[in-house]
Amino acid sequence: MSPKPSSRPRPSAEGTPGSRRADRRTRVTVLVALAANIVIAMAKAVGGFVAGSPALLSEAAHSVADSMNELFLLAALRRSRRPADSRHPFGYGKERFFWSLLAAVGIFVMGGCFSFFQGFEALGRGSAESTSGYLAGLVVLVIALLAEGTSLLRALHQIRRQGGLAEGARDPALRTVVAEDGTAVLGVGLAIAGMALHMVTGLIIWEASASFAIGALLVYVAYRLGRDAREQLIGRAADPEPSRRIRALLEAQPEIDSVESLLTMQLGPDSTLVAARVDLVPGLDSEEVELVAVRIKRSVAHTIPEADQIFLDVTDAPTARRAARAARAAASSGTDDKGPAATGERGGA
């Protein structure tokens, strides 16, 4: 008889109360970043066209890309909490990874590529480039730096509230906002430096270099975010520490003779699938197997709260392999072949 599923109530696809509160805070963080980026993008675009500054126009493209990406993240927050259905029995948690991948593509195309274009165009214009209106552009960038810094502090504050970098950064939406805002602060700093050096020296190479540096920064961030989203979409295992704790818990059960395999996969920021193939000690009947499976599932779910999909496959290890294991155990413990280690029997059978 196959084991019954755990009777422990599992979190719904909409998430636990804690995860829903975290989602609400993330949504506020994304909305703050969106509002800041829309205002900043318009100011940078106007200032860039008036001043004719390639660095300022690169930053305008950066802010437009960030604004589009925040819309993607809002869609991810809404769609990832849809309840599981027959077509998606494990829920829609991976929607977050998909939309984060689109955000990475947006940063690469709309931000990085446009910044490189502005740098090459500035070099083509050469000494004909004028610095009139740059003072207004620098004022726009200083205001943008304050706004981007405020948005970044908000995102970092939420990460701290959600348990620090290790826990808070598990949410791809929040991780993307932090990456965007951190990159925006660095990008604005580069643009200010490029424009200021251009004004002082009269050499456009400084501003072109700032555009290239902004583009390289955006391409790097897009690559890192895209790589993480790709790994999650194709199915990444849980972190080593939770996997180690699950294996240790299974091996500590008196009814389990050995853990043949343990597979995990992250289904979302707060959802993990656990599938274990275990060999039970001899002598258990079908009813005992059911009770043992239920208890073990409850133990795993209690130890790893995000493990909301738990499957146990009870196997019968080949007799030769079990005998070899027993012989090794007997040799290491100094017992003879008639001891418990040789028969594979342990307490709790």
Side-chain angles (χ1 to χ4, degrees):
M1 182 182 296
S2 60
K4 293 180 180 178
S6 170
S7 59
R8 171 184 177 267
R10 294 176 178 171
S12 65
E14 291 81 3
T16 63
S19 66
R20 288 195 294 269
R21 285 193 297 270
D23 273 4
R24 286 194 292 269
R25 290 194 293 266
T26 300
R27 187 174 292 107
V28 172
T29 299
V30 174
L31 287 172
V32 169
L34 175 61
N37 278 315
I38 289 176
V39 173
I40 293 169
M42 292 188 295
K44 288 177 180 177
V46 172
F49 282 117
V50 170
S53 167
L56 192 51
L57 288 174
S58 296
E59 274 301 300
H62 181 184
S63 295
V64 170
D66 286 351
S67 300
M68 293 295 297
N69 294 338
E70 261 97 51
L71 294 177
F72 290 155
L73 298 180
L74 288 174
L77 290 171
R78 180 178 59 85
R79 295 175 63 86
S80 65
R81 289 301 181 189
R82 288 183 296 171
D85 53 37
S86 59
R87 289 179 60 85
H88 299 87
F90 294 111
Y92 290 81
K94 289 194 175 186
E95 283 267 14
R96 297 203 184 193
F97 308 134
F98 169 73
W99 291 98
S100 295
L101 179 61
L102 291 186
V105 174
I107 292 174
F108 177 83
V109 175
M110 300 179 64
C113 293
F114 187 79
S115 296
F116 281 118
F117 169 76
Q118 284 296 317
F120 284 117
E121 188 180 42
L123 290 177
R125 291 198 296 265
S127 59
E129 182 71 21
S130 172
T131 60
S132 61
Y134 269 39
L135 184 60
L138 288 173
V139 171
V140 170
L141 286 176
V142 170
I143 295 174
L145 183 64
L146 295 175
E148 298 283 13
T150 300
S151 178
L152 176 61
L153 289 176
R154 159 76 196 189
L156 292 175
H157 175 68
Q158 182 179 340
I159 282 184
R160 185 177 63 82
R161 289 183 63 184
Q162 292 184 200
L165 187 62
E167 292 294 325
R170 291 174 56 192
D171 185 343
L174 185 57
R175 185 169 63 244
T176 301
V177 171
V178 171
E180 287 180 350
D181 288 343
T183 305
V185 170
L186 291 175
V188 170
L190 290 170
I192 291 175
M195 291 180 66
L197 289 171
H198 184 191
M199 291 178 65
V200 171
T201 64
L203 299 176
I204 188 63
I205 185 64
W206 292 110
E207 207 165 351
S209 297
S211 292
F212 288 137
I214 293 170
L217 181 64
L218 293 175
V219 168
Y220 174 73
V221 170
Y223 165 74
R224 291 295 301 270
L225 291 174
R227 186 185 65 178
D228 289 344
R230 171 185 171 274
E231 289 183 358
Q232 297 282 11
L233 284 172
I234 63 178
R236 186 165 70 185
D239 294 335
E241 177 58 22
S243 297
R244 185 195 64 78
R245 291 165 60 194
I246 293 172
R247 178 175 287 276
L249 186 149
L250 294 174
E251 292 176 343
Q253 303 302 313
E255 298 86 359
I256 294 182
D257 192 49
S258 66
V259 179
E260 300 298 320
S261 65
L262 175 64
L263 305 176
T264 62
M265 184 170 65
Q266 294 180 357
L267 302 176
D270 55 358
S271 178
T272 301
L273 182 147
V274 177
R277 181 174 294 112
V278 298
D279 176 31
L280 300 182
V281 297
L284 297 179
D285 59 31
S286 60
E287 185 175 351
E288 288 175 314
V289 170
E290 289 187 43
L291 295 175
V292 167
V294 170
R295 177 172 56 78
I296 292 174
K297 288 181 179 181
R298 286 176 176 172
S299 298
V300 172
H302 178 74
T303 303
I304 311 293
E306 62 269 24
D308 57 343
Q309 301 286 348
I310 305 170
F311 301 89
L312 290 180
D313 180 16
V314 178
T315 64
D316 185 15
T319 303
R321 189 166 59 187
R322 181 180 289 141
R325 264 201 317 267
R328 287 195 299 269
S332 62
S333 62
T335 61
D336 56 30
D337 291 342
K338 297 181 181 179
T343 62
E345 296 177 359
R346 290 189 290 182

